[in-house]
Amino acid sequence: MDPHSGLLAVLAFGFLLGLKHATDADHVVAVANIVGKERNIWKSIWIGASWGAGHSVPLLILGTVVLIAKEAALHHYETIAPYLEIGVGIMLIYLGVSAAWNVLRGNIHIHQHDHGAGPHIHVHASHAPQESHQRAKPLHNSFFILGRPVFRIRSFAIGVVHGLAGSAAVMVALLPTIDSTLTGIGYIALFSIGTMLSMSALTIILALPFKISAAKQTLNRSITLAAGTLSTALGTILITEILLQATIIPF
């Protein structure tokens, strides 16, 4: 294989690996738990793009170090990689519990009454979240109307946490075999671009169930609760696998 063909193969592989990386189960579950509140498809895209941008930052830093220090840097990364995975698991549990809590909190209302004998508090369940008291918006509520780009800090932060976990390890492991630093940086950049494009597209798909169920409050809350439960379960399994050094789920 001539050098030109080898360069193209490396860059193409980086891009394709980036497309695949966005579909890691922990990534999809995490984004599903932050995209549920969006009703605009354009903003959903920017959730994915912001996640991808945050995901790229630690990879660019680590990747550059590995390109320079080669196997020595890769060895240190492999040493701390399990702790990074545990961090991802903790974050997934947090996102899941937070989503479930928001659903349950939306079903509980506290009222204070005073019937002359002093104030007392009533706590009771509601059959609809608070926003249900507002007038329903039309179905064409800008879900498909393009708007200006919106940078999402929370999505970016979650992307940073995810940056060095999952199949990103495969991308980093190949860097010591790349002789040219410039080619290696291009490989990382295309991996990051592929991840951003793939996650941006996935956020559209992930947002659809929440949009479709928006007018059906019980169904919408059920979907949100299911996403939160799945996130909590996946985070717990991920941490358990690392601590016990066992495989519970084969992906």
Side-chain angles (χ1 to χ4, degrees):
M1 181 182 293
D2 63 88
H4 181 69
S5 298
L7 172 63
L8 292 178
V10 169
L11 295 179
F13 180 74
F15 180 73
L16 294 175
L17 187 60
L19 292 176
K20 164 63 178 64
H21 182 63
T23 63
D24 282 5
D26 55 332
H27 299 165
V28 174
V29 170
V31 173
N33 277 278
I34 59 178
V35 78
K37 295 181 180 179
E38 292 297 340
R39 298 294 180 263
N40 181 286
I41 199 170
W42 185 250
K43 291 183 179 180
S44 297
I45 290 174
W46 282 98
I47 285 176
S50 298
W51 181 93
H55 181 278
S56 303
V57 170
L59 286 181
L60 287 170
I61 295 173
L62 175 65
T64 302
V65 173
V66 172
L67 284 171
I68 296 173
K70 300 296 183 181
E71 295 293 343
L74 184 60
H75 173 72
H76 287 297
Y77 165 70
E78 292 174 345
T79 301
I80 65 172
Y83 300 100
L84 298 173
E85 293 279 359
I86 289 175
V88 171
I90 293 173
M91 186 196 64
L92 287 172
I93 293 173
Y94 165 76
L95 289 174
V97 172
S98 177
W101 169 248
N102 287 334
V103 171
L104 297 176
R105 184 180 61 179
N107 291 335
I108 299 175
H109 295 277
I110 301 177
H111 297 282
Q112 179 173 300
H113 301 279
D114 190 345
H115 300 297
H120 59 279
I121 295 175
H122 289 168
V123 180
H124 62 86
S126 172
H127 298 290
Q130 294 179 352
E131 59 266 23
S132 66
H133 298 293
Q134 302 175 358
R135 180 174 297 180
K137 294 182 179 180
L139 292 179
H140 59 281
N141 61 348
S142 74
F143 185 67
F144 291 102
I145 296 178
L146 299 183
R148 63 184 179 84
V150 179
F151 180 72
R152 308 302 294 268
I153 294 294
R154 188 185 185 204
S155 301
F156 180 86
I158 292 173
V160 170
V161 175
H162 269 120
L164 300 179
S167 57
V170 178
M171 187 279 291
V172 174
L174 293 176
L175 288 175
T177 66
I178 300 176
D179 296 327
S180 169
T181 301
L182 187 60
T183 300
I185 292 175
Y187 170 76
I188 299 171
L190 284 174
F191 176 89
S192 300
I193 291 172
T195 302
M196 290 177 67
L197 291 176
S198 183
M199 185 54 76
S200 296
L202 276 173
T203 51
I204 299 175
I205 299 173
L206 294 172
L208 287 175
F210 296 97
K211 168 60 181 177
I212 294 172
S213 64
K216 301 177 180 179
Q217 296 161 359
T218 300
L219 178 60
N220 187 267
R221 292 197 299 270
S222 298
I223 292 175
T224 302
L225 190 59
T229 301
L230 181 59
S231 181
T232 303
L234 186 58
T236 302
I237 291 172
L238 182 60
I239 294 173
T240 303
E241 285 185 333
I242 295 170
L243 295 179
L244 298 182
Q245 296 184 346
T247 300
I248 299 177
I249 51 176
F251 56 87

